[in-house]
Amino acid sequence: INIMVLDTEVYSNTVGQKSRSTRIGSVAEFASSGKLENKKDLFRIAMAIPNVYVASISMGANMMQTLKVLKEAKEHNGPSLIIAYCPCIEQGIVGGMGGQLEEQKMLERVGYNLLMRYNPETDELKVDSSEPDFDNYDEIFRKELRYKNLEVRNEEEYQSLYEENLNQAKTRYNYYKDLENKQD
């Protein structure tokens, strides 16, 4: 069994409603002042299931990592789950969807999106993302309307939701890096 989840971080087929995949602070249908809960970590959930190969990819961020993951998932003797970050028009990328490849690279570079894979046969986790540039994390909030609109719609909460989004990204990266380093 091989499954690919196209993660747009909203319910794209229902006019961009918030979902469990929507990040904190993101403006979406039913979260017009910014979502207040953290995103569900599907990668972490899948890692806890025995014999499941799990990977997180973003084709625009790293095509070679994407190809490696697809090959490994196909060769895995058991179920595999690939979580593919997919930009969506509902995210409101400034400049339009024509800039989504650059957007994917930026999201990986600042630590918003992690590229990684876990092989249960070897019990090996590999974080393929390089060390994030968290100092430039606010680029996301300037280049996507789902965050940019937060400042307009919920000015009082904007800074705290931004900080919480950033802290969640740091916590998630450190969690997976610690797991990776414990293997050595």
Side-chain angles (χ1 to χ4, degrees):
I1 298 172
N2 295 296
I3 301 168
M4 181 176 286
V5 174
L6 304 178
D7 186 6
T8 62
E9 297 190 337
V10 291
Y11 289 124
S12 300
N13 61 345
T14 57
V15 195
Q17 293 174 347
K18 78 171 182 170
S19 73
R20 292 286 293 135
S21 175
T22 305
R23 300 229 183 188
I24 194 164
S26 182
V27 172
E29 186 78 21
F30 302 121
S32 60
S33 294
K35 185 175 177 230
L36 302 176
E37 305 88 28
N38 294 320
K39 176 180 177 158
K40 171 177 59 178
D41 191 344
L42 186 56
F43 192 100
R44 190 173 185 172
I45 294 167
M47 269 185 71
I49 303 169
N51 197 33
V52 173
Y53 173 92
V54 61
S56 174
I57 64 172
S58 178
M59 191 168 64
N62 188 328
M63 177 66 82
M64 294 309 295
Q65 189 260 1
T66 298
L67 293 173
K68 181 183 280 192
V69 161
L70 293 173
K71 181 179 183 294
E72 288 177 358
K74 184 178 185 300
E75 293 171 351
H76 176 65
N77 186 22
S80 60
L81 172 66
I82 300 171
I83 305 159
Y85 177 78
C86 295
C88 169
I89 197 163
E90 296 298 329
Q91 293 168 348
I93 298 170
V94 174
M97 290 300 288
Q100 57 120 344
L101 292 178
E102 286 304 314
E103 185 78 3
Q104 289 179 61
K105 290 176 187 169
M106 184 265 298
L107 293 175
E108 189 268 336
R109 182 176 38 81
V110 300
Y112 181 91
N113 191 23
L114 297 180
L115 308 180
M116 51 192 175
R117 51 205 157 92
Y118 172 72
N119 187 337
E121 292 172 355
T122 60
D123 195 29
E124 181 180 23
L125 171 69
K126 175 69 176 140
V127 177
D128 295 314
S129 292
S130 54
E131 181 78 26
D133 178 12
F134 288 119
D135 290 338
N136 288 313
Y137 196 82
D138 65 334
E139 278 186 70
I140 302 159
F141 281 67
R142 291 193 318 267
K143 292 186 175 183
E144 292 192 6
L145 293 179
R146 63 180 168 160
Y147 293 117
K148 198 174 172 113
N149 287 340
L150 176 62
E151 191 170 21
V152 174
R153 293 184 180 189
N154 195 356
E155 189 174 355
E156 296 163 4
E157 293 284 330
Y158 174 80
Q159 194 60 39
S160 67
L161 291 174
Y162 164 75
E163 291 294 330
E164 183 60 28
N165 191 307
L166 172 60
N167 288 336
Q168 285 298 315
K170 288 178 179 179
T171 299
R172 186 168 191 259
Y173 175 75
N174 290 330
Y175 172 79
Y176 287 111
K177 280 308 280 187
D178 287 347
L179 275 181
E180 180 185 44
N181 292 335
K182 286 180 182 175
Q183 300 170 144
D184 297 333

